[in-house]
Each structure stands twice: as C-alpha cells, then as structure tokens.
Amino acid sequence: MLGWPTAPGTPVRLRTGVRFDVLDVPVQAGHAALRRLGPPGATPRRPGFPVALRGGRMLLLVAAGGAEELPGLLEWLEWGSLPLDLTAVGAGGLVEAPLLPATGATGAAGSAGAAGSADVGRAGRGSALPPPRPRDHDGRARRGAAVWLRPPEQEGGAETSLPALSAVGGTAAAPDLARLVHTLATECHRFRLSSRCASPRLARATR
C-alpha cells in the first residue's frame, strides 16, 4: 500500500504536499518533455516517475516540496518572466486520484483511516492503483477522469522515484527536479508559440 492520504468525497482526491507534489502542464508539452527526458527510443509509458493525464492536462508527480521550489527554479532557469502554462499543486492542495485506463484491469481502494486518510489500493503486481475508471449511469466511462499514464510502482517505494532537487543528476527512474522543470518550461513555451502561430492560419482558412 502506498498510504497516500485522501480527502473525503467522490471522486477520490489525493492530498498534495504530504507524500508528493504535482506539476501541471498541457498534455502536448508534457509528452514532448517526456520524450526529451527519456533514453533514445523510449516512450512516455516506460517505467519511471508517476505521470497521469486529465483532459488536456498532464500531471507529473514530484517529491513533496517541489511546488514550493517551482517559482525559484523558474527564475533561476531564466523562465520567470515568460507566461508559461506550468503550475504546481503543493501543501494544502488536492488532486483527483488517477484511475486505471478502461482496459478491464481491476483493483480496490483502501479504506479511510481514523484521521480521514486512505491508502490507495493495489491493482496488478508491483503497482498501487485506484479502482478502474468509474462508469456513468449508462455504463460509459466517466469523461474527464484522471488516468495513469505511468502508475506508481509499489515495489521499492513510490517516493524514491519522484524527481527532487536532492537527486543530483537524476536517476534512471527520475530526472533531477531542475532538469525536469527546465524541460517542461521549454516545451510549454514551444507549445504556446506554436499555438499562437496556428491561430492566424486557422482564422484565414475559415474566412
């Protein structure tokens, strides 16, 4: 069991700033960043630090305290003056617990403890995952639910794979937090510029 604390209610929400923080970026920028950070030929789904998708956003889990470091890192990396669609959720925050993709996998969520927290349940050997994606009343998977792209690994401790400033040079599972932020900022900036360039062309094409 990962033992990540949750908040009461439905859907299940994980408390950030306790065991991990979250970096939130456009999904296009996130995929580009994961490709740059991985070894040649790797895919975003390769084993590594946990990553989830929610709508058009990518949620990248980092070590607790990473959200507090983000503004200073962006300034140090000379990204502070640019409008980047790169945000963080840290102490006191909540994120929807990512679910298994609707592929028939099964799992179970742990029960809440006396302090109002709960363990995220195990689904599949070596992984600790919430239940499969919930269904609407007509049986369809709920749209917009957060889904794991890279689920956290149970074996060896999920927190050891999270990007952190203390991970000098990074590990095979996770890059250094500064490298991750720089790569995400670069891809967020590129995505913003490409979106701005595409808008006039689209407007001209629809006239």
Side-chain angles (χ1 to χ4, degrees), residues 123-164:
R125 184 177 181 85
S127 295
L129 302 173
R133 186 184 300 184
R135 301 280 172 170
D136 290 330
H137 66 277
D138 59 359
R140 293 178 300 178
R142 193 181 75 220
R143 295 180 180 178
V147 179
W148 287 116
L149 176 67
R150 288 182 185 171
E153 292 298 321
Q154 175 74 14
E155 298 175 0
E159 281 81 5
T160 61
S161 70
L162 300 180

PDB file of all heavy atoms in Angstrom, residues 123-164:
ATOM      1  N   ALA A 123      -3.574  -2.675  -7.617  1.00  0.00           N
ATOM      2  CA  ALA A 123      -4.184  -3.325  -8.776  1.00  0.00           C
ATOM      3  C   ALA A 123      -3.076  -3.760  -9.697  1.00  0.00           C
ATOM      4  O   ALA A 123      -2.444  -2.951 -10.338  1.00  0.00           O
ATOM      5  CB  ALA A 123      -5.126  -2.388  -9.508  1.00  0.00           C
ATOM      6  N   GLY A 124      -2.808  -5.032  -9.756  1.00  0.00           N
ATOM      7  CA  GLY A 124      -1.729  -5.518 -10.607  1.00  0.00           C
ATOM      8  C   GLY A 124      -0.460  -5.694  -9.807  1.00  0.00           C
ATOM      9  O   GLY A 124      -0.193  -4.972  -8.868  1.00  0.00           O
ATOM     10  N   ARG A 125       0.328  -6.636 -10.176  1.00  0.00           N
ATOM     11  CA  ARG A 125       1.547  -6.965  -9.450  1.00  0.00           C
ATOM     12  C   ARG A 125       2.542  -5.824  -9.529  1.00  0.00           C
ATOM     13  O   ARG A 125       2.882  -5.340 -10.585  1.00  0.00           O
ATOM     14  CB  ARG A 125       2.166  -8.231 -10.038  1.00  0.00           C
ATOM     15  CG  ARG A 125       3.410  -8.716  -9.293  1.00  0.00           C
ATOM     16  CD  ARG A 125       3.894 -10.002  -9.888  1.00  0.00           C
ATOM     17  NE  ARG A 125       5.049 -10.485  -9.167  1.00  0.00           N
ATOM     18  CZ  ARG A 125       4.990 -11.217  -8.070  1.00  0.00           C
ATOM     19  NH1 ARG A 125       3.819 -11.520  -7.568  1.00  0.00           N
ATOM     20  NH2 ARG A 125       6.085 -11.648  -7.477  1.00  0.00           N
ATOM     21  N   GLY A 126       3.003  -5.346  -8.343  1.00  0.00           N
ATOM     22  CA  GLY A 126       4.021  -4.316  -8.299  1.00  0.00           C
ATOM     23  C   GLY A 126       3.506  -2.907  -8.413  1.00  0.00           C
ATOM     24  O   GLY A 126       4.264  -1.971  -8.379  1.00  0.00           O
ATOM     25  N   SER A 127       2.195  -2.688  -8.568  1.00  0.00           N
ATOM     26  CA  SER A 127       1.654  -1.348  -8.689  1.00  0.00           C
ATOM     27  C   SER A 127       0.580  -1.110  -7.642  1.00  0.00           C
ATOM     28  O   SER A 127      -0.117  -2.038  -7.233  1.00  0.00           O
ATOM     29  CB  SER A 127       1.041  -1.127 -10.081  1.00  0.00           C
ATOM     30  OG  SER A 127       2.042  -1.185 -11.061  1.00  0.00           O
ATOM     31  N   ALA A 128       0.447   0.140  -7.217  1.00  0.00           N
ATOM     32  CA  ALA A 128      -0.609   0.517  -6.281  1.00  0.00           C
ATOM     33  C   ALA A 128      -1.497   1.509  -6.975  1.00  0.00           C
ATOM     34  O   ALA A 128      -1.101   2.636  -7.230  1.00  0.00           O
ATOM     35  CB  ALA A 128      -0.012   1.121  -5.017  1.00  0.00           C
ATOM     36  N   LEU A 129      -2.688   1.099  -7.311  1.00  0.00           N
ATOM     37  CA  LEU A 129      -3.547   1.908  -8.156  1.00  0.00           C
ATOM     38  C   LEU A 129      -4.942   2.024  -7.586  1.00  0.00           C
ATOM     39  O   LEU A 129      -5.421   1.134  -6.894  1.00  0.00           O
ATOM     40  CB  LEU A 129      -3.652   1.273  -9.557  1.00  0.00           C
ATOM     41  CG  LEU A 129      -2.345   1.072 -10.307  1.00  0.00           C
ATOM     42  CD1 LEU A 129      -2.617   0.277 -11.571  1.00  0.00           C
ATOM     43  CD2 LEU A 129      -1.738   2.407 -10.645  1.00  0.00           C
ATOM     44  N   PRO A 130      -5.656   3.135  -7.888  1.00  0.00           N
ATOM     45  CA  PRO A 130      -7.064   3.239  -7.539  1.00  0.00           C
ATOM     46  C   PRO A 130      -7.888   2.278  -8.389  1.00  0.00           C
ATOM     47  O   PRO A 130      -7.358   1.609  -9.281  1.00  0.00           O
ATOM     48  CB  PRO A 130      -7.399   4.706  -7.882  1.00  0.00           C
ATOM     49  CG  PRO A 130      -6.089   5.393  -7.949  1.00  0.00           C
ATOM     50  CD  PRO A 130      -5.115   4.354  -8.435  1.00  0.00           C
ATOM     51  N   PRO A 131      -9.199   2.208  -8.148  1.00  0.00           N
ATOM     52  CA  PRO A 131     -10.042   1.284  -8.903  1.00  0.00           C
ATOM     53  C   PRO A 131     -10.094   1.649 -10.378  1.00  0.00           C
ATOM     54  O   PRO A 131      -9.663   2.724 -10.776  1.00  0.00           O
ATOM     55  CB  PRO A 131     -11.424   1.454  -8.253  1.00  0.00           C
ATOM     56  CG  PRO A 131     -11.180   2.171  -6.970  1.00  0.00           C
ATOM     57  CD  PRO A 131      -9.928   2.952  -7.142  1.00  0.00           C
ATOM     58  N   PRO A 132     -10.641   0.752 -11.223  1.00  0.00           N
ATOM     59  CA  PRO A 132     -10.813   1.087 -12.634  1.00  0.00           C
ATOM     60  C   PRO A 132     -11.681   2.326 -12.786  1.00  0.00           C
ATOM     61  O   PRO A 132     -12.407   2.712 -11.878  1.00  0.00           O
ATOM     62  CB  PRO A 132     -11.519  -0.153 -13.204  1.00  0.00           C
ATOM     63  CG  PRO A 132     -11.190  -1.243 -12.256  1.00  0.00           C
ATOM     64  CD  PRO A 132     -11.081  -0.605 -10.908  1.00  0.00           C
ATOM     65  N   ARG A 133     -11.603   2.941 -13.952  1.00  0.00           N
ATOM     66  CA  ARG A 133     -12.337   4.166 -14.216  1.00  0.00           C
ATOM     67  C   ARG A 133     -13.833   3.970 -13.933  1.00  0.00           C
ATOM     68  O   ARG A 133     -14.443   3.011 -14.385  1.00  0.00           O
ATOM     69  CB  ARG A 133     -12.153   4.578 -15.685  1.00  0.00           C
ATOM     70  CG  ARG A 133     -12.761   5.931 -16.021  1.00  0.00           C
ATOM     71  CD  ARG A 133     -12.633   6.226 -17.503  1.00  0.00           C
ATOM     72  NE  ARG A 133     -11.242   6.239 -17.926  1.00  0.00           N
ATOM     73  CZ  ARG A 133     -10.860   6.548 -19.167  1.00  0.00           C
ATOM     74  NH1 ARG A 133     -11.764   6.832 -20.087  1.00  0.00           N
ATOM     75  NH2 ARG A 133      -9.595   6.545 -19.480  1.00  0.00           N
ATOM     76  N   PRO A 134     -14.465   4.887 -13.151  1.00  0.00           N
ATOM     77  CA  PRO A 134     -15.881   4.730 -12.815  1.00  0.00           C
ATOM     78  C   PRO A 134     -16.761   4.895 -14.034  1.00  0.00           C
ATOM     79  O   PRO A 134     -16.394   5.531 -15.003  1.00  0.00           O
ATOM     80  CB  PRO A 134     -16.121   5.867 -11.805  1.00  0.00           C
ATOM     81  CG  PRO A 134     -15.094   6.889 -12.134  1.00  0.00           C
ATOM     82  CD  PRO A 134     -13.881   6.113 -12.582  1.00  0.00           C
ATOM     83  N   ARG A 135     -17.944   4.313 -13.953  1.00  0.00           N
ATOM     84  CA  ARG A 135     -18.891   4.345 -15.056  1.00  0.00           C
ATOM     85  C   ARG A 135     -20.051   5.282 -14.751  1.00  0.00           C
ATOM     86  O   ARG A 135     -20.480   5.409 -13.613  1.00  0.00           O
ATOM     87  CB  ARG A 135     -19.436   2.943 -15.322  1.00  0.00           C
ATOM     88  CG  ARG A 135     -18.347   1.927 -15.665  1.00  0.00           C
ATOM     89  CD  ARG A 135     -17.913   2.048 -17.097  1.00  0.00           C
ATOM     90  NE  ARG A 135     -16.744   1.219 -17.368  1.00  0.00           N
ATOM     91  CZ  ARG A 135     -16.285   1.007 -18.598  1.00  0.00           C
ATOM     92  NH1 ARG A 135     -16.868   1.554 -19.640  1.00  0.00           N
ATOM     93  NH2 ARG A 135     -15.220   0.257 -18.781  1.00  0.00           N
ATOM     94  N   ASP A 136     -20.551   5.956 -15.793  1.00  0.00           N
ATOM     95  CA  ASP A 136     -21.771   6.731 -15.651  1.00  0.00           C
ATOM     96  C   ASP A 136     -22.950   5.782 -15.570  1.00  0.00           C
ATOM     97  O   ASP A 136     -22.816   4.572 -15.719  1.00  0.00           O
ATOM     98  CB  ASP A 136     -21.933   7.670 -16.859  1.00  0.00           C
ATOM     99  CG  ASP A 136     -20.899   8.792 -16.825  1.00  0.00           C
ATOM    100  OD1 ASP A 136     -20.496   9.178 -15.712  1.00  0.00           O
ATOM    101  OD2 ASP A 136     -20.499   9.258 -17.902  1.00  0.00           O
ATOM    102  N   HIS A 137     -24.147   6.352 -15.371  1.00  0.00           N
ATOM    103  CA  HIS A 137     -25.329   5.520 -15.216  1.00  0.00           C
ATOM    104  C   HIS A 137     -25.624   4.684 -16.464  1.00  0.00           C
ATOM    105  O   HIS A 137     -26.257   3.643 -16.388  1.00  0.00           O
ATOM    106  CB  HIS A 137     -26.549   6.395 -14.880  1.00  0.00           C
ATOM    107  CG  HIS A 137     -26.958   7.309 -15.999  1.00  0.00           C
ATOM    108  ND1 HIS A 137     -26.334   8.525 -16.208  1.00  0.00           N
ATOM    109  CD2 HIS A 137     -27.904   7.186 -16.965  1.00  0.00           C
ATOM    110  CE1 HIS A 137     -26.896   9.128 -17.255  1.00  0.00           C
ATOM    111  NE2 HIS A 137     -27.846   8.336 -17.728  1.00  0.00           N
ATOM    112  N   ASP A 138     -25.143   5.133 -17.634  1.00  0.00           N
ATOM    113  CA  ASP A 138     -25.392   4.378 -18.856  1.00  0.00           C
ATOM    114  C   ASP A 138     -24.260   3.408 -19.174  1.00  0.00           C
ATOM    115  O   ASP A 138     -24.230   2.792 -20.230  1.00  0.00           O
ATOM    116  CB  ASP A 138     -25.618   5.310 -20.047  1.00  0.00           C
ATOM    117  CG  ASP A 138     -24.428   6.226 -20.308  1.00  0.00           C
ATOM    118  OD1 ASP A 138     -23.440   6.137 -19.546  1.00  0.00           O
ATOM    119  OD2 ASP A 138     -24.479   7.010 -21.263  1.00  0.00           O
ATOM    120  N   GLY A 139     -23.304   3.268 -18.241  1.00  0.00           N
ATOM    121  CA  GLY A 139     -22.249   2.277 -18.422  1.00  0.00           C
ATOM    122  C   GLY A 139     -20.996   2.804 -19.079  1.00  0.00           C
ATOM    123  O   GLY A 139     -19.997   2.115 -19.141  1.00  0.00           O
ATOM    124  N   ARG A 140     -21.011   4.044 -19.567  1.00  0.00           N
ATOM    125  CA  ARG A 140     -19.818   4.589 -20.216  1.00  0.00           C
ATOM    126  C   ARG A 140     -18.831   5.089 -19.166  1.00  0.00           C
ATOM    127  O   ARG A 140     -19.214   5.512 -18.086  1.00  0.00           O
ATOM    128  CB  ARG A 140     -20.205   5.737 -21.146  1.00  0.00           C
ATOM    129  CG  ARG A 140     -21.034   5.308 -22.349  1.00  0.00           C
ATOM    130  CD  ARG A 140     -21.411   6.492 -23.201  1.00  0.00           C
ATOM    131  NE  ARG A 140     -22.197   7.451 -22.435  1.00  0.00           N
ATOM    132  CZ  ARG A 140     -22.630   8.614 -22.931  1.00  0.00           C
ATOM    133  NH1 ARG A 140     -22.342   8.969 -24.160  1.00  0.00           N
ATOM    134  NH2 ARG A 140     -23.344   9.431 -22.176  1.00  0.00           N
ATOM    135  N   ALA A 141     -17.543   5.036 -19.497  1.00  0.00           N
ATOM    136  CA  ALA A 141     -16.527   5.550 -18.586  1.00  0.00           C
ATOM    137  C   ALA A 141     -16.720   7.051 -18.408  1.00  0.00           C
ATOM    138  O   ALA A 141     -17.044   7.762 -19.342  1.00  0.00           O
ATOM    139  CB  ALA A 141     -15.128   5.260 -19.139  1.00  0.00           C
ATOM    140  N   ARG A 142     -16.535   7.528 -17.179  1.00  0.00           N
ATOM    141  CA  ARG A 142     -16.721   8.941 -16.901  1.00  0.00           C
ATOM    142  C   ARG A 142     -15.681   9.768 -17.643  1.00  0.00           C
ATOM    143  O   ARG A 142     -14.482   9.535 -17.539  1.00  0.00           O
ATOM    144  CB  ARG A 142     -16.586   9.199 -15.391  1.00  0.00           C
ATOM    145  CG  ARG A 142     -17.074  10.591 -14.982  1.00  0.00           C
ATOM    146  CD  ARG A 142     -16.884  10.788 -13.493  1.00  0.00           C
ATOM    147  NE  ARG A 142     -15.479  11.013 -13.174  1.00  0.00           N
ATOM    148  CZ  ARG A 142     -14.871  10.506 -12.122  1.00  0.00           C
ATOM    149  NH1 ARG A 142     -15.507   9.710 -11.305  1.00  0.00           N
ATOM    150  NH2 ARG A 142     -13.595  10.763 -11.882  1.00  0.00           N
ATOM    151  N   ARG A 143     -16.157  10.730 -18.410  1.00  0.00           N
ATOM    152  CA  ARG A 143     -15.263  11.564 -19.197  1.00  0.00           C
ATOM    153  C   ARG A 143     -14.531  12.556 -18.297  1.00  0.00           C
ATOM    154  O   ARG A 143     -15.083  13.075 -17.337  1.00  0.00           O
ATOM    155  CB  ARG A 143     -16.051  12.323 -20.268  1.00  0.00           C
ATOM    156  CG  ARG A 143     -16.679  11.416 -21.327  1.00  0.00           C
ATOM    157  CD  ARG A 143     -17.446  12.213 -22.342  1.00  0.00           C
ATOM    158  NE  ARG A 143     -18.055  11.350 -23.355  1.00  0.00           N
ATOM    159  CZ  ARG A 143     -18.817  11.798 -24.347  1.00  0.00           C
ATOM    160  NH1 ARG A 143     -19.067  13.089 -24.452  1.00  0.00           N
ATOM    161  NH2 ARG A 143     -19.334  10.950 -25.226  1.00  0.00           N
ATOM    162  N   GLY A 144     -13.282  12.836 -18.656  1.00  0.00           N
ATOM    163  CA  GLY A 144     -12.513  13.824 -17.913  1.00  0.00           C
ATOM    164  C   GLY A 144     -11.845  13.292 -16.668  1.00  0.00           C
ATOM    165  O   GLY A 144     -11.158  14.032 -15.982  1.00  0.00           O
ATOM    166  N   ALA A 145     -12.040  12.006 -16.338  1.00  0.00           N
ATOM    167  CA  ALA A 145     -11.402  11.445 -15.149  1.00  0.00           C
ATOM    168  C   ALA A 145      -9.896  11.340 -15.368  1.00  0.00           C
ATOM    169  O   ALA A 145      -9.431  11.050 -16.463  1.00  0.00           O
ATOM    170  CB  ALA A 145     -11.980  10.064 -14.838  1.00  0.00           C
ATOM    171  N   ALA A 146      -9.147  11.584 -14.303  1.00  0.00           N
ATOM    172  CA  ALA A 146      -7.699  11.432 -14.379  1.00  0.00           C
ATOM    173  C   ALA A 146      -7.342   9.962 -14.509  1.00  0.00           C
ATOM    174  O   ALA A 146      -7.940   9.106 -13.854  1.00  0.00           O
ATOM    175  CB  ALA A 146      -7.044  12.032 -13.139  1.00  0.00           C
ATOM    176  N   VAL A 147      -6.383   9.664 -15.379  1.00  0.00           N
ATOM    177  CA  VAL A 147      -5.979   8.274 -15.654  1.00  0.00           C
ATOM    178  C   VAL A 147      -4.455   8.199 -15.630  1.00  0.00           C
ATOM    179  O   VAL A 147      -3.769   9.090 -16.125  1.00  0.00           O
ATOM    180  CB  VAL A 147      -6.506   7.815 -17.035  1.00  0.00           C
ATOM    181  CG1 VAL A 147      -6.056   6.390 -17.327  1.00  0.00           C
ATOM    182  CG2 VAL A 147      -8.017   7.913 -17.097  1.00  0.00           C
ATOM    183  N   TRP A 148      -3.929   7.129 -15.062  1.00  0.00           N
ATOM    184  CA  TRP A 148      -2.479   6.950 -15.028  1.00  0.00           C
ATOM    185  C   TRP A 148      -1.912   6.717 -16.428  1.00  0.00           C
ATOM    186  O   TRP A 148      -2.423   5.888 -17.171  1.00  0.00           O
ATOM    187  CB  TRP A 148      -2.086   5.759 -14.161  1.00  0.00           C
ATOM    188  CG  TRP A 148      -2.224   5.970 -12.684  1.00  0.00           C
ATOM    189  CD1 TRP A 148      -3.070   5.310 -11.840  1.00  0.00           C
ATOM    190  CD2 TRP A 148      -1.485   6.882 -11.868  1.00  0.00           C
ATOM    191  NE1 TRP A 148      -2.913   5.768 -10.556  1.00  0.00           N
ATOM    192  CE2 TRP A 148      -1.945   6.732 -10.550  1.00  0.00           C
ATOM    193  CE3 TRP A 148      -0.488   7.827 -12.146  1.00  0.00           C
ATOM    194  CZ2 TRP A 148      -1.434   7.483  -9.485  1.00  0.00           C
ATOM    195  CZ3 TRP A 148       0.022   8.579 -11.097  1.00  0.00           C
ATOM    196  CH2 TRP A 148      -0.453   8.402  -9.787  1.00  0.00           C
ATOM    197  N   LEU A 149      -0.869   7.453 -16.767  1.00  0.00           N
ATOM    198  CA  LEU A 149      -0.044   7.144 -17.932  1.00  0.00           C
ATOM    199  C   LEU A 149       1.120   6.261 -17.485  1.00  0.00           C
ATOM    200  O   LEU A 149       1.461   5.277 -18.124  1.00  0.00           O
ATOM    201  CB  LEU A 149       0.474   8.433 -18.571  1.00  0.00           C
ATOM    202  CG  LEU A 149       1.426   8.270 -19.746  1.00  0.00           C
ATOM    203  CD1 LEU A 149       0.699   7.661 -20.944  1.00  0.00           C
ATOM    204  CD2 LEU A 149       2.065   9.611 -20.140  1.00  0.00           C
ATOM    205  N   ARG A 150       1.751   6.664 -16.369  1.00  0.00           N
ATOM    206  CA  ARG A 150       2.781   5.862 -15.698  1.00  0.00           C
ATOM    207  C   ARG A 150       2.319   5.684 -14.257  1.00  0.00           C
ATOM    208  O   ARG A 150       2.437   6.604 -13.454  1.00  0.00           O
ATOM    209  CB  ARG A 150       4.123   6.585 -15.685  1.00  0.00           C
ATOM    210  CG  ARG A 150       4.856   6.678 -16.993  1.00  0.00           C
ATOM    211  CD  ARG A 150       6.166   7.394 -16.705  1.00  0.00           C
ATOM    212  NE  ARG A 150       6.942   7.660 -17.886  1.00  0.00           N
ATOM    213  CZ  ARG A 150       8.024   8.433 -17.872  1.00  0.00           C
ATOM    214  NH1 ARG A 150       8.424   9.004 -16.754  1.00  0.00           N
ATOM    215  NH2 ARG A 150       8.714   8.642 -18.977  1.00  0.00           N
ATOM    216  N   PRO A 151       1.783   4.547 -13.881  1.00  0.00           N
ATOM    217  CA  PRO A 151       1.349   4.349 -12.496  1.00  0.00           C
ATOM    218  C   PRO A 151       2.526   4.253 -11.550  1.00  0.00           C
ATOM    219  O   PRO A 151       3.630   3.885 -11.949  1.00  0.00           O
ATOM    220  CB  PRO A 151       0.568   3.031 -12.558  1.00  0.00           C
ATOM    221  CG  PRO A 151       1.153   2.318 -13.727  1.00  0.00           C
ATOM    222  CD  PRO A 151       1.515   3.377 -14.737  1.00  0.00           C
ATOM    223  N   PRO A 152       2.317   4.591 -10.277  1.00  0.00           N
ATOM    224  CA  PRO A 152       3.394   4.446  -9.289  1.00  0.00           C
ATOM    225  C   PRO A 152       3.677   2.986  -9.023  1.00  0.00           C
ATOM    226  O   PRO A 152       2.770   2.160  -8.992  1.00  0.00           O
ATOM    227  CB  PRO A 152       2.823   5.144  -8.043  1.00  0.00           C
ATOM    228  CG  PRO A 152       1.342   5.027  -8.210  1.00  0.00           C
ATOM    229  CD  PRO A 152       1.075   5.108  -9.684  1.00  0.00           C
ATOM    230  N   GLU A 153       4.941   2.669  -8.835  1.00  0.00           N
ATOM    231  CA  GLU A 153       5.334   1.293  -8.559  1.00  0.00           C
ATOM    232  C   GLU A 153       5.328   1.052  -7.061  1.00  0.00           C
ATOM    233  O   GLU A 153       5.857   1.849  -6.285  1.00  0.00           O
ATOM    234  CB  GLU A 153       6.722   1.010  -9.125  1.00  0.00           C
ATOM    235  CG  GLU A 153       6.775   1.009 -10.653  1.00  0.00           C
ATOM    236  CD  GLU A 153       5.900  -0.082 -11.258  1.00  0.00           C
ATOM    237  OE1 GLU A 153       5.871  -1.197 -10.685  1.00  0.00           O
ATOM    238  OE2 GLU A 153       5.255   0.173 -12.273  1.00  0.00           O
ATOM    239  N   GLN A 154       4.749  -0.054  -6.655  1.00  0.00           N
ATOM    240  CA  GLN A 154       4.690  -0.411  -5.240  1.00  0.00           C
ATOM    241  C   GLN A 154       6.047  -0.844  -4.723  1.00  0.00           C
ATOM    242  O   GLN A 154       6.457  -0.462  -3.641  1.00  0.00           O
ATOM    243  CB  GLN A 154       3.670  -1.540  -5.035  1.00  0.00           C
ATOM    244  CG  GLN A 154       3.608  -2.095  -3.620  1.00  0.00           C
ATOM    245  CD  GLN A 154       2.919  -1.163  -2.648  1.00  0.00           C
ATOM    246  OE1 GLN A 154       2.271  -0.217  -3.074  1.00  0.00           O
ATOM    247  NE2 GLN A 154       3.072  -1.419  -1.369  1.00  0.00           N
ATOM    248  N   GLU A 155       6.730  -1.648  -5.505  1.00  0.00           N
ATOM    249  CA  GLU A 155       7.988  -2.216  -5.044  1.00  0.00           C
ATOM    250  C   GLU A 155       9.083  -1.156  -5.003  1.00  0.00           C
ATOM    251  O   GLU A 155       9.275  -0.417  -5.947  1.00  0.00           O
ATOM    252  CB  GLU A 155       8.409  -3.365  -5.964  1.00  0.00           C
ATOM    253  CG  GLU A 155       7.406  -4.516  -5.962  1.00  0.00           C
ATOM    254  CD  GLU A 155       7.775  -5.588  -6.963  1.00  0.00           C
ATOM    255  OE1 GLU A 155       8.809  -5.412  -7.629  1.00  0.00           O
ATOM    256  OE2 GLU A 155       7.035  -6.573  -7.072  1.00  0.00           O
ATOM    257  N   GLY A 156       9.792  -1.070  -3.889  1.00  0.00           N
ATOM    258  CA  GLY A 156      10.898  -0.144  -3.764  1.00  0.00           C
ATOM    259  C   GLY A 156      10.497   1.224  -3.260  1.00  0.00           C
ATOM    260  O   GLY A 156      11.355   2.058  -3.006  1.00  0.00           O
ATOM    261  N   GLY A 157       9.178   1.493  -3.097  1.00  0.00           N
ATOM    262  CA  GLY A 157       8.747   2.775  -2.584  1.00  0.00           C
ATOM    263  C   GLY A 157       8.549   3.783  -3.690  1.00  0.00           C
ATOM    264  O   GLY A 157       9.483   4.131  -4.417  1.00  0.00           O
ATOM    265  N   ALA A 158       7.307   4.257  -3.838  1.00  0.00           N
ATOM    266  CA  ALA A 158       6.994   5.178  -4.928  1.00  0.00           C
ATOM    267  C   ALA A 158       7.748   6.490  -4.785  1.00  0.00           C
ATOM    268  O   ALA A 158       8.158   7.095  -5.776  1.00  0.00           O
ATOM    269  CB  ALA A 158       5.491   5.429  -4.970  1.00  0.00           C
ATOM    270  N   GLU A 159       7.944   6.960  -3.546  1.00  0.00           N
ATOM    271  CA  GLU A 159       8.565   8.274  -3.356  1.00  0.00           C
ATOM    272  C   GLU A 159      10.014   8.321  -3.834  1.00  0.00           C
ATOM    273  O   GLU A 159      10.522   9.375  -4.186  1.00  0.00           O
ATOM    274  CB  GLU A 159       8.494   8.690  -1.880  1.00  0.00           C
ATOM    275  CG  GLU A 159       7.140   9.228  -1.437  1.00  0.00           C
ATOM    276  CD  GLU A 159       6.149   8.100  -1.127  1.00  0.00           C
ATOM    277  OE1 GLU A 159       6.575   6.926  -1.174  1.00  0.00           O
ATOM    278  OE2 GLU A 159       4.979   8.389  -0.854  1.00  0.00           O
ATOM    279  N   THR A 160      10.688   7.167  -3.859  1.00  0.00           N
ATOM    280  CA  THR A 160      12.090   7.161  -4.281  1.00  0.00           C
ATOM    281  C   THR A 160      12.240   7.456  -5.760  1.00  0.00           C
ATOM    282  O   THR A 160      13.335   7.801  -6.216  1.00  0.00           O
ATOM    283  CB  THR A 160      12.741   5.800  -3.974  1.00  0.00           C
ATOM    284  OG1 THR A 160      12.047   4.767  -4.692  1.00  0.00           O
ATOM    285  CG2 THR A 160      12.679   5.499  -2.483  1.00  0.00           C
ATOM    286  N   SER A 161      11.155   7.334  -6.531  1.00  0.00           N
ATOM    287  CA  SER A 161      11.229   7.580  -7.972  1.00  0.00           C
ATOM    288  C   SER A 161      10.831   8.999  -8.335  1.00  0.00           C
ATOM    289  O   SER A 161      10.852   9.360  -9.506  1.00  0.00           O
ATOM    290  CB  SER A 161      10.320   6.591  -8.723  1.00  0.00           C
ATOM    291  OG  SER A 161       8.951   6.893  -8.490  1.00  0.00           O
ATOM    292  N   LEU A 162      10.451   9.824  -7.349  1.00  0.00           N
ATOM    293  CA  LEU A 162       9.954  11.161  -7.648  1.00  0.00           C
ATOM    294  C   LEU A 162      11.100  12.145  -7.872  1.00  0.00           C
ATOM    295  O   LEU A 162      12.067  12.166  -7.108  1.00  0.00           O
ATOM    296  CB  LEU A 162       9.062  11.661  -6.506  1.00  0.00           C
ATOM    297  CG  LEU A 162       7.824  10.823  -6.194  1.00  0.00           C
ATOM    298  CD1 LEU A 162       7.045  11.444  -5.035  1.00  0.00           C
ATOM    299  CD2 LEU A 162       6.937  10.696  -7.421  1.00  0.00           C
ATOM    300  N   PRO A 163      11.013  12.981  -8.909  1.00  0.00           N
ATOM    301  CA  PRO A 163      12.046  13.996  -9.144  1.00  0.00           C
ATOM    302  C   PRO A 163      12.179  14.932  -7.949  1.00  0.00           C
ATOM    303  O   PRO A 163      11.180  15.394  -7.392  1.00  0.00           O
ATOM    304  CB  PRO A 163      11.517  14.743 -10.374  1.00  0.00           C
ATOM    305  CG  PRO A 163      10.635  13.760 -11.067  1.00  0.00           C
ATOM    306  CD  PRO A 163       9.989  12.969  -9.972  1.00  0.00           C
ATOM    307  N   ALA A 164      13.413  15.212  -7.555  1.00  0.00           N
ATOM    308  CA  ALA A 164      13.687  16.082  -6.417  1.00  0.00           C
ATOM    309  C   ALA A 164      14.999  16.805  -6.648  1.00  0.00           C
ATOM    310  O   ALA A 164      15.844  16.350  -7.418  1.00  0.00           O
ATOM    311  CB  ALA A 164      13.754  15.266  -5.120  1.00  0.00           C
TER     312      ALA A 164
END
